[in-house]
Amino acid sequence: MNSDCIFCRIAAGEIPCAKIYESEEILAFLDIAPVNKGHALLIPKRHHENFFDLPDEIAGVLLADLKRVGAAVMAATKADGLNLGMNNYEAAGQLVMHAHFHLIPRFLDDGLNHWGQKSYESQDEMNAFAEKIRSSLA
Ligand code: 5GP
Ligand code: ZN
């Protein structure tokens, strides 16, 4: 438990939340500032900063629960789709440094746009990126 961490404090019951689901290791609750109503967060109860810090067993349990809670969010909100997302590190928009998935119900007419896309200069440049990433696999 990191007492400076808002999600640790929610997991410990020190700060209230609109709880959806809880197991020994995982908690799901509504985001206080939803992209669409029903926007939920799924977290490991123990403090891990981001996805890459999660022990594999916890990542596995988190993903299984993501499927189950995601289906419930979609069913309950009658959503047409669901964005599952995780911001890792400040540059990716992570504000709360306790790993969490966002489950965002989406509607055909919700007016939200996806982020912009770029292009590669050439096929060679694209292949070079793929090669760099392949050779970085641990
Ligand atoms: P991040 O940018 O780190 O991926 O997203 C953090 C999310 O946590 C934001 O969407 C924000 O609205 C939500 N959040 C921050 N503080 C609280 C809180 O005290 N309670 C709840 N339920 N959500 C919070
Ligand atoms: Zn924490």
Side-chain angles (χ1 to χ4, degrees), residues 1-2 5-9 45-48 97-99:
M1 155 105 186
N2 174 348
C5 170
I6 189 112
F7 287 177
C8 278
R9 297 186 64 199
K45 286 185 175 173
R46 293 194 66 166
H47 186 84
H48 302 285
M97 296 297 160
H98 179 131

Side-chain angles (χ1 to χ4, degrees), residues 55-95:
D56 286 351
E57 319 82 73
I58 297 293
V61 174
L62 195 68
L63 284 182
D65 287 345
L66 184 63
K67 240 176 120 178
R68 181 163 174 230
V69 177
V73 169
M74 273 200 79
T77 59
K78 298 188 168 46
D80 302 309
L82 188 78
N83 283 126
L84 301 175
M86 190 181 232
N87 303 322
N88 291 289
Y89 303 104
E90 186 185 348
Q94 186 176 5
L95 296 174

